[in-house]
Amino acid sequence: MSEADEVQLRHVDLGRPAARSEATEGRGEARTEATARTEATARTEAIEERTGAAEGRTEERTEERTGAEEGRTEERTGATLERTGAAEGRTEERTGATVERTGAAEGRTEERTGATLERTGAAEGRTEERTGAAEGRTEERTGATLERTGAAEGRTEERTGAGAAARSIPSPDQFKLRRFFVLRPGTLNQAIKDVEALVDEKVDGSVHGIWLMAEVDHWNNEKERLVLITDNSLLVCKYDFVMFTCDQVQRVALNFVDRISHGAFSFPRRSLLQRGGEGVRVFWDRLREPSFTSRWNPFATDFPFITFTSHPVWNASDTFAQLCDVKNFREQLWDAAQKVHAVKPVPGKANGVLVLNQQIQIEAYVGLMSFLGNQNKLGYCMARGNIGF
């Protein structure tokens, strides 16, 4: 054989193992791929089994939890319904109680309204009675005034006729009386209207009478006053007959008046003062005595009593004689005070007014100021020559 044939044989021999190796490697790769596929399939099935088991357990757990939650939800719903029912029951009970209370309140309101209407009717009735009584008294006063006016006119005509026959010269006392401004025509009527306007009907009531008096203080000084007696009060007015103004009003509740004394005036044993005529003293606090300072203070006004006497013009005419009548004033004051004590008693005070006929003591000794004042009538509104009042 030649070298070329040997070389070809070698190539053939060398090519066979290579082909075998390639086939073997191909079969190995196929087997490897099959094995890998088998393992992957097995793993996938295992994973699917595990996944199914997990899903089953998850479903079981989910169903169990869902059932438990539904049970708890149903229990809670039942408890909520029970609470709602109890709350509705309590609400109904409260509503019923509220309705009952509302009905009771409406009943009490109707009762109070009825009582208020009754009281209003009674008050209106009393107001009408008082109005009628006041109108009756006003008519009586008007009639009495007209009678007095007619009598005064008759007396004036008589005096005028007598004066035409034989004129008489007025006495010095009559000239002195003319100096009082209260005697000027129309002055007294205007003063009465002014002080009546100061009466408070809610506090004082209607007016029973008006008097022209002279107040005597604790130092024996005389002061001109208009005094009113009403249903409930005693009003003492300081009136200026020159300027037609009321400068001061002292109000004393009649249910506090406990004593009225009347009689002649008296002074201490060594006093230099004297006073004629009679007076009346009204007390409203028997338990309180004037202090030492008040007794020696000529301007003190805190005394629990007040003293009156007749005005100097009491004898000017019959009209002024009635206005200055101390006895009539005392009787009407006692009567009005007794009525108020019966209607409005004061707790802690004895009901009723005690009337005493005794001397009226004035604790003044020298009294120089009162002597000068009373002699010159400084407590009255008078014409005083060229100087005037």
Side-chain angles (χ1 to χ4, degrees):
M1 296 180 66
S2 64
E3 289 178 4
D5 293 334
E6 288 178 2
V7 173
Q8 291 178 352
L9 288 173
R10 287 178 184 176
H11 284 290
V12 171
D13 290 336
L14 291 173
R16 289 178 181 174
R20 291 177 184 173
S21 297
E22 290 176 0
T24 301
E25 288 176 0
R27 287 193 296 270
E29 290 177 357
R31 288 176 184 174
T32 300
E33 291 177 1
T35 302
R37 291 174 182 173
T38 303
E39 290 178 357
T41 303
R43 289 176 183 173
T44 302
E45 292 177 355
I47 290 171
E48 290 178 355
E49 290 178 359
R50 291 176 184 174
T51 302
E55 290 177 356
R57 287 193 298 273
T58 301
E59 290 177 358
E60 291 177 358
R61 291 176 183 173
T62 302
E63 290 178 357
E64 290 177 359
R65 290 177 182 174
T66 303
E69 289 179 358
E70 289 179 354
R72 287 195 294 272
T73 302
E74 291 178 356
E75 291 178 358
R76 292 175 183 172
T77 303
T80 303
L81 292 174
E82 291 179 358
R83 292 176 184 172
T84 303
E88 290 178 354
R90 288 194 296 271
T91 301
E92 292 179 355
E93 292 178 358
R94 292 175 183 173
T95 303
T98 303
V99 171
E100 292 179 358
R101 292 176 185 172
T102 304
E106 290 178 354
R108 289 194 296 270
T109 302
E110 291 178 356
E111 292 178 358
R112 292 176 183 173
T113 303
T116 303
L117 292 174
E118 292 179 358
R119 293 175 184 171
T120 303
E124 291 177 354
R126 289 194 297 271
T127 303
E128 291 178 356
E129 291 179 359
R130 292 178 181 175
T131 304
E135 291 178 354
R137 287 193 295 271
T138 302
E139 292 178 356
E140 292 178 358
R141 291 175 188 167
T142 304
T145 303
L146 292 175
E147 292 179 359
R148 294 174 185 172
T149 304
E153 290 177 354
R155 288 192 298 272
T156 303
E157 291 177 356
E158 292 177 359
R159 292 173 183 174
T160 303
R167 292 185 177 273
S168 61
I169 300 175
S171 65
D173 292 337
Q174 291 178 343
F175 280 117
K176 291 181 180 179
L177 287 178
R178 291 179 183 179
R179 297 169 58 191
F180 287 91
F181 281 100
V182 70
L183 295 179
R184 302 293 172 90
T187 301
L188 182 61
N189 294 333
Q190 182 62 41
I192 292 174
K193 290 180 181 179
D194 292 340
V195 296
E196 284 183 342
L198 299 176
V199 177
D200 188 351
E201 293 185 359
K202 295 181 179 179
V203 178
D204 305 317
S206 59
V207 180
H208 288 240
I210 301 177
W211 284 266
L212 178 65
M213 311 288 286
E215 178 186 351
V216 182
D217 65 6
H218 59 292
W219 273 42
N220 195 37
N221 295 305
E222 293 182 8
K223 303 172 183 179
E224 193 173 33
R225 295 290 184 264
L226 280 175
V227 184
L228 289 77
I229 297 178
T230 66
D231 291 333
N232 304 316
S233 306
L234 172 67
L235 302 178
V236 182
C237 305
K238 178 183 177 182
Y239 190 84
D240 186 351
F241 291 97
V242 179
M243 302 301 298
F244 294 101
T245 58
C246 186
D247 298 329
Q248 180 182 352
V249 178
Q250 181 181 1
R251 178 179 282 104
V252 179
L254 292 181
N255 56 344
F256 281 87
V257 175
D258 50 30
R259 186 168 31 133
I260 299 174
S261 63
H262 62 95
F265 291 95
S266 65
F267 294 87
R269 185 174 181 181
R270 298 181 180 180
S271 176
L272 302 178
L273 299 175
Q274 293 182 354
R275 171 176 288 279
E278 294 186 354
V280 58
R281 178 170 288 177
V282 183
F283 298 84
W284 55 82
D285 191 356
R286 67 178 66 184
L287 300 179
R288 181 167 63 91
E289 292 293 334
S291 63
F292 177 81
T293 306
S294 298
R295 292 177 186 273
W296 288 96
N297 181 10
F299 305 104
T301 58
D302 58 345
F303 285 82
F305 59 82
I306 190 168
T307 307
F308 297 106
T309 188
S310 299
H311 195 282
V313 300
W314 66 271
N315 59 348
S317 64
D318 294 340
T319 301
F320 282 95
Q322 294 181 1
L323 286 174
C324 304
D325 190 353
V326 176
K327 181 180 179 182
N328 187 21
F329 167 75
R330 182 188 74 234
E331 293 175 351
Q332 290 203 25
L333 177 63
W334 178 84
D335 184 56
Q338 287 287 93
K339 292 180 180 179
V340 177
H341 274 281
V343 177
K344 297 179 181 179
V346 179
K349 292 178 66 70
N351 295 329
V353 181
L354 183 63
V355 179
L356 301 175
N357 185 3
Q358 61 183 13
Q359 291 184 341
I360 298 176
Q361 180 77 12
I362 299 178
E363 295 184 3
Y365 292 87
V366 179
L368 179 62
M369 185 176 69
S370 65
F371 175 78
L372 295 176
N374 295 339
Q375 287 295 323
N376 294 279
K377 298 291 188 292
L378 298 181
Y380 300 89
C381 294
M382 295 180 62
R384 304 182 187 277
N386 295 329
I387 298 176
F389 179 75

